[in-house]
Amino acid sequence: MLNPERHAESNYSEKPHLIHGRCQAAHWDFGHHVVPPASASVAYRLDSAKRGARGFQEFGHDHGEGEHVDLYDRLDEPNRAMLEENLAYAECGECAVTFASGMAAISAVLCNCARAGDHVLSHQVLYGCTHSLLHNWLPRFGIENSSADFTRLESAKPHLRPNTRVVYFETPVNPDLTLIDIGGVAHWLQEINRQRRPEQRVWLVVDNTFSTPYGQRPLTQGADLVVSSLTKNIGGFGTDLGGVAVGPACFEPGWLSFRKDFGGVLSPRNAWNFLVYGLPTLSVRFRQQQESAKKLARFLERHPCVEKVRYPGLPSFPQKELAEKQMKDYDGRFAPGTMLHFCLREVGAPGESALKFIDCLAKNSYTITLAVSLGQVRTLVEHPYSMTHSPITADPAGVTRVDPAGIRLSVGLEKADDLIHDLSGAFEEVFQPGSPTNS
Ligand SMILES: *Cc1c(COP(=O)(O)O)cnc(C)c1O
């Protein structure tokens, strides 16, 4: 497994590695292919009963050493194994385990770190399904949770409990692009963990879906574990669901075993798409989308009908210093990302102009599509309050944490000028109905 020191020594920049990865996985004997062959075999022929028995005994523990015995797709599979090598490399982690979706990866990570009687402390705004997992499902298995505002670390500290095993957040936060200081939280937890017995330590888990490893590597900033939805910018084309957990090698057996028994396995076909199309094109897509996002952020900020825009690349971004410290691409350049969040001047009840604006885009825009998900070649717009984050806003305790006026924009590969053209049309329709350009 490559590590950050070896990265630094490398004669190559990072980008060729995302294209070539390692893809060597000697035990699969695919060394002669330029593109790894897509494999599709649920079960594997065994030479002897003894070999089969050894495969089951060693499952999850034999990585990188000795002869590999393949048994069944739900346990291990060549396309996934190659993708996992490359994802661990991209995130600067020791091991990566893929899952059927981002949510399957998050479930596996939380259930490996915490058990009945333990507590998970999270940031107060999370992707809606992660919130629902913590609030609706894990308590049934005895895992408690509570939330705090991790943008103000001093105010979050008192929420840590003796039975807290996980501190969990996204940065940037979905949907409003608030940032959380990974290094700051990591530093505090290192102090805490020094005073705790190893089995009582707190694990810092960061959801890196928005930035992707191209734009930020939380493990190099003190996070213990990273989760990501491969469905989003790593997949990039909006064709496949997937998720990944990355972290120290000691987690690999537990994650593999959880995946085997709960069954949230990434399909080999999806793994092949991420391996062959998604990861190798991540850098070039991300950079292009980010350039457009910067232009759109400046356009929106200057627009008289826009109340506020949040984009880490704007000089007005309230956490600009933190953004520049932790959001960096592989070459060390500032990587403010491909996502925008903005609010319009209100014309009626809270959120009314946002919904009108989104409906105008859905009806008239060619380049901007009303849809959830993000990180695709197509620009997508959505209303987090009523859609992706409705599990939070449906909860009386969470209703004020997501802005009803907020609009989330995931910038794709269209030309920025074309996107601005379609946004301008929607502004006119909402704020100057009947103007000649709309008739
Ligand atoms: C979409 C998303 C997830 C869940 O990923 P799926 O692949 O849809 O299961 C988790 N976290 C964040 C921040 C997301 O945007």
Side-chain angles (χ1 to χ4, degrees):
M1 208 61 63
L2 296 183
N3 58 36
E5 282 81 31
R6 281 177 65 188
H7 279 216
E9 286 165 22
S10 166
N11 290 324
Y12 301 97
S13 66
E14 204 74 27
K15 193 157 57 84
H17 294 303
L18 293 190
I19 295 166
H20 294 273
R22 300 176 77 209
C23 278
Q24 279 152 4
H27 53 269
W28 301 110
D29 190 23
F30 284 169
H32 301 295
H33 292 75
V34 174
V35 172
S39 132
S41 179
V42 161
Y44 294 82
R45 188 194 304 279
L46 298 161
D47 302 337
S48 67
K50 201 167 147 215
R51 232 177 113 88
R54 219 185 76 213
F56 279 99
Q57 271 160 21
E58 291 177 353
F59 173 67
H61 295 277
D62 63 342
H63 278 245
E65 297 147 32
E67 198 193 347
H68 188 89
V69 182
D70 309 309
L71 300 160
Y72 189 59
D73 187 340
R74 186 154 40 71
L75 277 60
D76 200 1
E77 189 281 330
N79 294 290
R80 274 201 309 268
M82 284 186 276
L83 175 64
E84 286 164 352
E85 275 183 3
N86 292 2
L87 286 168
Y89 180 81
E91 283 283 8
C92 302
E94 287 176 1
C95 82
V97 173
T98 56
F99 294 87
S101 66
M103 287 317 304
I106 294 168
S107 311
V109 164
L110 293 176
C111 292
N112 268 270
C113 291
R115 60 182 67 209
D118 291 343
H119 169 253
V120 176
L121 178 60
S122 66
H123 181 59
Q124 59 189 7
V125 178
L126 293 169
Y127 173 61
C129 298
T130 308
H131 176 92
S132 177
L133 173 68
L134 284 168
H135 286 255
N136 298 327
W137 293 102
L138 295 188
R140 294 195 188 191
F141 308 106
I143 300 173
E144 312 164 8
N145 70 86
S146 64
S147 64
D149 180 0
F150 274 93
T151 62
R152 297 183 305 128
L153 183 55
E154 289 310 314
S155 81
K157 285 180 178 178
H159 294 268
L160 196 83
R161 303 178 187 173
N163 61 339
T164 304
R165 293 288 165 272
V166 178
V167 164
Y168 185 102
F169 56 80
E170 301 153 6
T171 182
V173 173
N174 185 356
D176 63 12
L177 300 160
T178 299
L179 303 187
I180 295 166
D181 182 354
I182 301 169
V185 178
H187 182 76
W188 165 56
L189 290 179
Q190 278 150 16
E191 299 286 304
I192 298 284
N193 284 333
R194 260 197 279 283
Q195 298 152 29
R196 291 190 174 198
R197 293 204 306 275
E199 67 279 12
Q200 293 181 324
R201 64 159 292 169
V202 189
W203 298 98
L204 175 55
V205 183
V206 175
D207 181 332
N208 199 31
T209 300
F210 267 33
S211 272
T212 80
Y214 179 77
Q216 167 178 285
R217 285 143 321 275
L219 297 179
T220 65
Q221 300 181 38
D224 297 304
L225 309 173
V226 164
V227 290
S228 273
S229 168
L230 300 174
T231 317
K232 313 293 172 55
N233 232 326
I234 294 179
F237 295 89
T239 53
D240 301 281
L241 278 175
V244 67
V246 191
C250 61
F251 277 91
E252 191 171 38
W255 288 344
L256 286 172
S257 166
F258 186 93
R259 183 177 76 179
K260 168 174 80 69
D261 296 340
F262 282 81
V265 180
L266 179 66
S267 133
R269 177 46 83 170
N270 291 7
W272 190 85
N273 287 342
F274 295 134
L275 177 69
V276 174
Y277 299 127
L279 206 50
T281 61
L282 174 63
S283 314
V284 67
R285 284 185 286 105
F286 198 95
R287 273 204 304 274
Q288 181 62 39
Q289 291 167 213
Q290 180 170 266
E291 284 313 306
S292 301
K294 287 180 195 165
K295 285 188 191 159
L296 260 57
R298 287 196 294 268
F299 164 76
L300 289 168
E301 186 165 54
R302 282 197 299 262
H303 201 285
C305 301
V306 175
E307 183 84 38
K308 58 182 176 206
V309 187
R310 287 179 71 85
Y311 178 65
L314 281 176
S316 63
F317 187 68
Q319 297 170 294
K320 184 150 178 51
E321 217 172 287
L322 174 59
E324 286 174 355
K325 183 180 97 181
Q326 72 184 16
M327 301 176 82
K328 286 192 177 152
D329 70 18
Y330 289 115
D331 295 320
R333 288 169 305 200
F334 180 35
T338 65
M339 300 294 298
L340 295 166
H341 186 267
F342 61 102
C343 299
L344 305 182
R345 224 175 58 212
E346 286 297 359
V347 287
E352 202 176 305
S353 47
L355 291 174
K356 267 196 190 155
F357 186 80
I358 288 173
D359 280 341
C360 288
L361 288 172
K363 188 158 60 86
N364 298 327
S365 170
Y366 176 58
T367 61
I368 302 176
T369 306
L370 168 56
V372 295
S373 199
L374 56 102
Q376 298 193 9
V377 295
R378 287 173 190 248
T379 295
L380 305 178
V381 70
E382 69 117 5
H383 185 236
Y385 185 88
S386 63
M387 298 181 188
T388 47
H389 290 66
S390 52
I392 300 182
T393 54
D395 176 354
V399 68
T400 56
R401 294 184 200 155
V402 181
D403 193 338
I407 298 171
R408 192 186 76 180
L409 196 68
S410 164
V411 181
L413 285 179
E414 302 88 350
K415 257 186 117 158
D417 288 344
D418 291 332
L419 296 168
I420 288 173
H421 174 82
D422 280 351
L423 288 170
S424 301
F427 277 123
E428 278 176 30
E429 206 171 319
V430 174
F431 292 96
Q432 300 144 33
S435 83
T437 40
N438 290 308
S439 50

